[in-house]
Amino acid sequence: MNTKPCPICTAQDEDILLQTANLRVIAVHNDNGSPAFCRVIWRKHIAEMTDLSAAERHEIMEMVYNVEAAMRQVFQPTKINLASLGNVVPHLHWHIIARFENDATFPAPIWANPVREHAMLLPQDWTEQIKKLLYPVSDGILKG
């Protein structure tokens, strides 16, 4: 049995874009040469989508879709990748990754070995732009 504390449950100093009672959306900066990267994290420590109720599954997936839409608007990427792995950290979270032809690993997954330095120029205020686009979906929910 793993007794190490969960790094997602104990995370500090995250760049939180939106937080509700059940989930949080964070920006991930310069992760593996792919700087246009967000995560949607279920706040309760569970490992699998089927550990959620149908309504909770709908809630997390709607947020994934909302983050994807915001990222598409802000970045206008070549492609958006969605991933929920949890092999290393078995805490339910989704990666939303804007991909560009000139990112470090395109067209391979971002976790592949880099084949170049990324050459993307992202808006300096991209996290603020995404926050503003996500704000309407947060009406009536706890923000942090």
Side-chain angles (χ1 to χ4, degrees):
M1 181 173 188
N2 188 358
T3 58
K4 281 177 45 176
C6 172
I8 291 178
C9 288
T10 59
Q12 296 180 10
D13 300 320
E14 293 177 316
D15 187 356
I16 297 175
L17 305 178
L18 178 110
Q19 186 163 261
T20 73
N22 289 328
L23 55 83
R24 69 185 182 271
V25 178
I26 66 168
V28 179
H29 298 281
N30 288 323
D31 193 73
N32 293 329
S34 183
F37 192 135
C38 292
R39 283 192 191 112
V40 175
I41 300 167
W42 195 255
R43 291 179 69 179
K44 183 179 176 186
H45 185 86
I46 61 168
E48 307 296 345
M49 288 289 291
T50 52
D51 292 336
L52 299 175
S53 69
E56 292 168 330
R57 286 192 304 270
H58 177 76
E59 179 181 355
I60 193 169
M61 292 312 301
E62 281 301 307
M63 187 59 69
V64 168
Y65 304 144
N66 288 328
V67 172
E68 176 185 322
M71 291 176 71
R72 288 183 68 196
Q73 184 172 331
V74 171
F75 298 128
Q76 300 179 352
T78 304
K79 181 71 175 90
I80 293 282
N81 290 172
L82 302 175
S84 180
L85 305 171
N87 299 331
V88 175
V89 180
H91 182 128
L92 183 59
H93 63 285
W94 282 86
H95 304 269
I96 302 94
I97 308 148
R99 300 300 309 276
F100 303 86
E101 290 179 7
N102 60 351
D103 73 32
T105 60
F106 194 85
I110 64 154
W111 295 285
N113 290 326
V115 295
R116 69 186 77 77
E117 289 287 322
H118 79 76
M120 294 117 47
L121 293 175
L122 302 178
Q124 285 220 282
D125 67 340
W126 72 265
T127 57
E128 289 304 315
Q129 289 185 48
I130 290 175
K131 278 183 190 180
K132 286 179 184 171
L133 291 168
L134 293 178
Y135 183 78
V137 303
S138 70
D139 287 346
I141 53 180
L142 174 70
K143 295 186 302 186

